[in-house]
Amino acid sequence: MRLSTTSYLVLGMVALRGPSTPYDLKRATSRSVGYFWNFPHTQLYSEPERLAASGMLAVDLEDSGRRRKTYSLTPEGRAALQEWLAAPTPEHFEMRDVAELKLFFNEAGAPDDDVPKLAQEQIRQHEERIAVYEDMVSRHGDEDWARPRMITLELGLEMEHAALRFWTALATGTIDDLRRERDERDPR
């Protein structure tokens, strides 16, 4: 059976969290991988069922009440997840950024008005996300359970700071300086 990236996301979340309902997965995802992996959260309700049907997850159904389904990782699911984690990742970094798309098409609008507004909005958004990430580091960075995930948070911080540098340079008319600084750091 060929698994999708969402399948691996579900398997990974169940591996980290333990037995989980789809609602548990949705909440946990929104506070973790949801910061860098965008996907329809409705898949967190359908994908566990599909994985259970294929033997990757076991399902426990409540006998009464809401009759919630709780999913847990099977040995087959753990093996599939571990195989995926160990496999090379030939895909290049993927980014779907609406602001970057608008910047690309800016000349079709009113660039003298739209681009400065876009830059200011992006500066605000990246500053806010940096603050959120730095708060996570200060609250959880020294906790043993969080230490393995801090490396992903550091990557997120680096990306947010890079985006903030770009949008700030665009807003202040210093793109050439940004390019010059990059060339000095990495003269290829």
Side-chain angles (χ1 to χ4, degrees):
M1 172 183 172
R2 179 160 159 60
L3 298 180
S4 68
T5 305
T6 302
S7 299
Y8 291 115
L9 183 145
V10 170
L11 292 173
M13 291 304 293
V14 173
L16 292 179
R17 287 187 80 316
S20 303
T21 66
Y23 180 74
D24 295 333
L25 293 173
K26 181 181 170 210
R27 289 192 61 211
T29 299
S30 71
R31 291 182 274 159
S32 60
V33 297
Y35 284 106
F36 61 87
W37 191 259
N38 191 14
F39 66 99
H41 287 154
T42 57
Q43 291 178 350
L44 293 173
Y45 290 88
S46 59
E47 193 62 21
E49 191 68 37
R50 193 172 83 77
L51 290 167
S54 70
M56 302 285 173
L57 293 176
V59 62
D60 181 40
L61 181 62
E62 284 182 342
D63 293 331
S64 61
R66 301 172 102 190
R67 300 192 45 84
R68 285 180 287 224
K69 293 180 180 180
T70 301
Y71 296 91
S72 55
L73 203 57
T74 63
E76 293 83 3
R78 183 170 301 284
L81 177 62
Q82 289 173 341
E83 183 180 322
W84 177 71
L85 290 169
T89 305
E91 294 89 3
H92 189 286
F93 169 78
E94 181 180 317
M95 180 172 64
R96 293 170 49 117
D97 180 11
V98 174
E100 190 172 351
L101 194 59
K102 286 183 173 187
L103 187 60
F104 182 84
F105 291 117
N106 80 78
E107 64 196 82
D112 291 341
D113 295 328
D114 296 341
V115 172
K117 287 190 287 189
L118 178 64
Q120 289 304 317
E121 177 62 21
Q122 290 303 300
I123 290 168
R124 185 189 63 73
Q125 287 183 30
H126 290 290
E127 287 173 340
E128 287 176 4
R129 182 57 62 94
I130 288 168
V132 167
Y133 287 175
E134 288 176 344
D135 181 58
M136 288 177 180
V137 170
S138 70
R139 285 186 297 126
H140 303 297
D142 293 330
E143 297 177 30
D144 288 340
W145 68 266
R147 196 162 285 123
R149 297 179 202 141
M150 286 294 117
I151 194 73
T152 307
L153 195 52
E154 287 301 324
L155 176 59
L157 276 163
E158 285 298 318
M159 292 171 65
E160 290 296 331
H161 279 286
L164 180 59
R165 279 192 305 276
F166 170 80
W167 289 107
T168 300
L170 184 61
T172 59
T174 58
I175 288 287
D176 290 339
D177 294 341
L178 184 68
R179 185 178 300 113
R180 198 171 16 264
E181 290 170 14
R182 185 178 57 244
D183 290 346
E184 290 170 3
R185 280 193 314 272
D186 188 19
R188 291 184 190 211

